[in-house]
Amino acid sequence: MKFNLFVLPFTIGLLVLFSILTAKYIRWFLSLSTDQRDAVIKNFFTLKTLSGLREIFLESLLHRNISRKNRLLGYMHMSLAFGWFLLIIVGHFESYSYFKTALEPPYIPIFLRYFQQDSLADPLQVIYWFVMDLILLFVLSGVALAWYKRHNRKHFGMKKTTRHLPADRIALSVLWFIFPLRLLAESITSAIYGGGSFLTSGLGSLLENNIASDLSFIASWWAYSISLGLFFVFLPFSRYMHIPTELVLIMLRNWGATKYTGKIDGITQFEVHSCSSCGICLDSCQLLELGHANIQSPYLFRNFRGNKLSDTVVQNCLMCGRCETTCVVGIKTNSVRRAIRQNSDVEVNHDYLRHVDTSFNSSPDVLYFAGCMTHLTPGIKKSMQAIFKAAKINYALVDEDQNICCGRPMMLSGLAEQSLAMVNKNKELFENSGAQTLVTSCPICYKVFRDEYNLNIEVLHHTQYIDRLMKEGKLALAKSEEQVVYHDPCELGRNSGVYDEPRRVIAALANLSESPANREKAWCCGGSIANAMLTSLEKKELAISALGKIVPKNTMTLVTACPLCKKTFASTGKHINIVDIAELVAVNLSAGKDKRRIWMFEKIESASI
Amino acid sequence: MRALKKEVVIIGGGPAGLEAADSLNKLGHAVTILEKEGKPGGKLSNWHKLFPDNVSADGILKQMVHKISGDIQLITNVKITKISREGTKHSVWFNEGKCIQAEAVLVAVGFDLFNASLKEEYGYGIYDNVITSAELESMFTGQKSLATVTGKTPERIAFIHCVGSRDEKVGFRHCSSMCCVTGVKQAIEIKKRLPAAEVMMFYMDLRMHGRFYEDLYLEAQEKHHIQFIRGRLSESSENPDGSLLLKADDTLAGSPIKVKADLMVLLLGFVPTDFHRKMGEEFGVEIGSDGFFSPCDAHLDTNSVKTNGIFVAGACTGAKSLEYTLADARSASLKIHEFLLQTTSANILN
């Protein structure tokens, strides 16, 4: 039997790792919802499994998504992951070619140069030595880059990086040691017994005279084994847990089992443990501008993993979704945060709902739900009413008097269960109307009606609805030469995927410029209802900063499609017209008659004194 | 003393500027007032009567303008472009290339009224029958008629306190301190003109801090039966007939209320002007968290700023009643006089 005591640290480490992973994964699988589990069972023996494996190869080994952000960063991750993977796989083939069995203990291919010291009269061995040296060099280049990156992250396209916990630091140091130690052990082996290729044999001849000895030979193999063993033991307790977990998450996603259930479940666990704390998302977080540097998604997930959640890390977030679009693992950061925020202990009083009358006297074709925020920006509501009238639509304003909130603000603050009474009352109201279309001016309402109400009625944001009315030729509009820029609201753009309709409407009415950070990269206005922790002054600071980045120099008018964005930007007091698309359309319908009321600033000028 | 005769430029021809011009002139200095409007008087020219004793604003203003003579020069329709400094001389540039030099500059630019459109939920600029306290004054002075847009005599009138004051959401945390008493004064005036009208005041708390203000508050309740409702307006909407539906919280009764009104008056807060920002950014004059000028010392020296030769007076250092504005202007005049005496003796010694 091929054995030496030094293989024990590696072997024990590997066993510990597998036991912990198995225990955790079984527990998380058991806490999947019935729907999620059914999805796994239904799709297991389908092509979806193959596409999952393909994605694992592309993302977990080649790191394609990271390469898209930055080539160097992508190469670094690929050389470590794919290189290590090749060392193991090619090592197994090499081992098989020598011992002609696939049933060797797992340490044999890992420490192959120890167990096969002699040169064989086999030309294949020389080729294996060369290939393995090449792969090791590939991995070592990644280690060198990783080390370089700790001090020069700018070259990797990152301004910020995550601050790591002690366990992560130890695991990181151990990881950095693994491959240099392997190089050392193999080089000393080569110095004493010969063999190896350009790398190990080359280094071996340098070590031959002063370092290589029986003692350093066995010590280096011990060191290599210990570094591996330590890394395996630390892995489940450090950010490196993402390595195995991401594989499972990718499969679950391909099986369609990751639908958000509103509470912390197995999927939440897989998502949270798939975060590597790489820090790529950090630069996207606007709260860093205010100096809030410990609440970003990697910190939320890490605190969740370590059971150390504080109110601040959970609540101080705009839920704008910017980090979600930059996550190379594709973690649903907003859903995870919502699940973590869920709090069943808070009681709410919904007594008033009993008095809300949900019957209808008329039979409208279209329902218009302005939304609470739109009631605070009556200019939008009035414009929509003018548009309905101009297009001769049989509509009903359903939240004029006894308006009920759509429920999303409560859901975002962790009171999803408590918001159900409101949701049900609204559903009853919509369904009693007999209307075919529900139009809302508020992207917050739009998202929840569309994605969580399960309505039998078509749900449209007013930008989509106006776009349709224009296509149908129901609005007589004329294009002006006014220069405007469009701001994508988080809830309409990034979080609901509505980008084109607003642009079509604006482009038909004015000259539309695009800000460099548009569509999924758009900035949050700062007024988010999901954050109750920021002060008014902080929100204002975010809004001023965002305006500065959005509005081009030659533009006086910013068009948006969210009452909350409108209000937040307007309250900065900056000399810029903040206008909703509905207002832009209504002013056009009235041939500019009402324009003076909304367009407060006529030309670009520094304020006169 | 007469031989001293130093040139002083006053920016702003409102009450503070006019009062300071008179005082400085009497102390022997040549004064130039630069006024952005076509005539002096500032916001006082648009006001009807003054609290707490209901004297005519116009009468007061006439007495002040009357004093502009002799060594006081008034230039109107001024748009200042730049202020620069060389040694002890200040140059104030205005109206495309014109320049005036002075030993000292007094900034008396007053305040702006809050832009009510920014509090969009109240519907100013969107609903026709929402007006500001300033527009109500012009109805009192007869420039406009005291009526709804359709010409109807209003039966129910609602006053909304703290519009643009004590409201971080619109960026102004400070109390403007003058709007409470203005509102009460205006409500009484309405009741005098339209005794049958129902008048409601939506307030957070009433800050009737000046002498006799409390008497005015009592008179409003007892004599005129004006209704005071403690609660902030949350939103308003327009009925088909153009009247307004107000939604508010009655925090004393502890319940939400809905009220119909024919006319809604927004009591606007005092906010800093664009000139404040410019003076801060370009001339280094210190600006407080409320956006108004911060003098060197809030107790001992309320008229100097850190930049030598520049002085401030009136409501540009925070909301003030006319009484305090005028006192502050006289105080600034004395401060400027001392400053000019010092520079003269320094020059002689050199």
Side-chain angles (χ1 to χ4, degrees), chain A residues 375-379 381-382 400-401 403 536-537 540 566-567 570-571 575 597 600 606-609, chain B residues 79-80 115 118 120-121 125-128 168-169 171 173 234-235 237-238 247 258 274-275 277-278:
Chain A
H375 285 292
L376 299 182
T377 49
K381 188 177 71 180
K382 206 172 169 179
E400 171 72 275
D401 200 13
N403 46 330
S536 307
L537 285 178
K540 187 173 171 181
K566 185 191 175 197
K567 235 178 141 36
S571 67
H575 282 228
R597 295 172 152 182
M600 286 190 251
S606 55
S608 67
I609 52 176
Chain B
K79 190 174 171 184
I80 292 173
N115 176 359
L118 293 180
E120 197 179 331
E121 55 266 53
I126 297 165
Y127 304 141
D128 293 332
E168 281 197 8
K169 284 188 181 161
R173 185 194 291 166
S234 58
E235 61 186 71
S237 55
E238 197 177 39
K247 292 183 192 171
K258 281 181 201 165
D274 285 334
F275 195 85
R277 192 180 50 78
K278 276 237 163 189

Side-chain angles (χ1 to χ4, degrees), chain A residues 479-498:
Chain A
K479 186 169 169 145
S480 80
E481 283 312 304
E482 180 161 13
Q483 195 66 36
V484 304
V485 64
Y486 176 61
H487 165 68
D488 289 282
C490 303
E491 290 279 76
L492 188 66
R494 207 165 23 240
N495 296 342
S496 297
V498 178

Side-chain angles (χ1 to χ4, degrees), chain B residues 69-251:
Chain B
S69 61
D71 278 338
I72 304 176
Q73 192 196 359
L74 172 72
I75 308 176
T76 53
N77 297 313
V78 166
K79 190 174 171 184
I80 292 173
T81 49
K82 202 175 104 181
I83 304 173
S84 60
R85 187 163 169 238
E86 226 170 87
T88 57
K89 282 271 182 209
H90 293 83
S91 302
V92 182
W93 300 81
F94 62 97
N95 295 7
E96 284 149 32
K98 286 185 191 166
C99 177
I100 187 161
Q101 289 202 317
E103 306 283 323
V105 176
L106 174 64
V107 179
V109 293
F111 60 95
D112 271 348
L113 285 170
F114 172 70
N115 176 359
S117 320
L118 293 180
K119 193 76 187 164
E120 197 179 331
E121 55 266 53
Y122 292 176
Y124 180 74
I126 297 165
Y127 304 141
D128 293 332
N129 289 314
V130 180
I131 63 168
T132 67
S133 40
E135 286 163 351
L136 182 62
E137 285 292 330
S138 62
M139 289 180 173
F140 292 156
T141 56
Q143 289 167 354
K144 291 180 194 167
S145 62
L146 180 51
T148 67
V149 163
T150 48
K152 206 184 104 195
T153 303
E155 286 165 22
R156 289 163 70 91
I157 298 135
F159 281 84
I160 314 299
H161 284 250
C162 298
V163 181
S165 285
R166 303 172 72 193
D167 188 355
E168 281 197 8
K169 284 188 181 161
V170 294
F172 299 107
R173 185 194 291 166
H174 66 272
C175 166
S176 296
S177 89
M178 294 299 127
C179 348
C180 280
V181 62
T182 300
V184 172
K185 182 213 77 165
Q186 291 184 331
I188 293 174
E189 182 69 26
I190 285 193
K191 285 295 279 190
K192 283 180 184 167
R193 290 169 185 236
L194 310 169
E198 205 178 316
V199 178
M200 297 161 285
M201 315 290 283
F202 288 87
Y203 70 99
M204 290 204 280
D205 55 82
L206 285 162
R207 300 192 163 175
M208 311 300 277
H209 48 78
R211 197 170 174 211
F212 306 124
Y213 294 4
E214 199 66 26
D215 297 355
L216 216 56
Y217 176 35
L218 201 66
E219 182 191 328
Q221 294 173 86
E222 291 190 338
K223 192 167 162 197
H224 302 289
H225 308 292
I226 291 162
Q227 246 194 87
F228 286 84
I229 302 162
R230 196 185 79 179
R232 216 168 185 161
L233 182 68
S234 58
E235 61 186 71
S236 68
S237 55
E238 197 177 39
N239 296 315
D241 66 352
S243 67
L244 301 153
L245 182 71
L246 280 59
K247 292 183 192 171
D249 259 320
D250 186 334
T251 55

Side-chain angles (χ1 to χ4, degrees), chain A residues 579-593:
Chain A
V579 177
D580 188 273
I581 285 188
E583 292 172 306
L584 187 75
V585 174
V587 159
N588 201 298
L589 282 175
S590 70
K593 213 176 66 193

Side-chain angles (χ1 to χ4, degrees), chain A residues 48-60 64 250-251 254:
Chain A
K48 288 179 179 168
T49 303
L50 282 182
S51 74
L53 291 172
R54 180 175 169 272
E55 192 184 333
I56 286 178
F57 180 73
L58 288 173
E59 295 307 337
S60 304
R64 193 180 48 167
I250 289 176
M251 294 313 295
N254 277 278

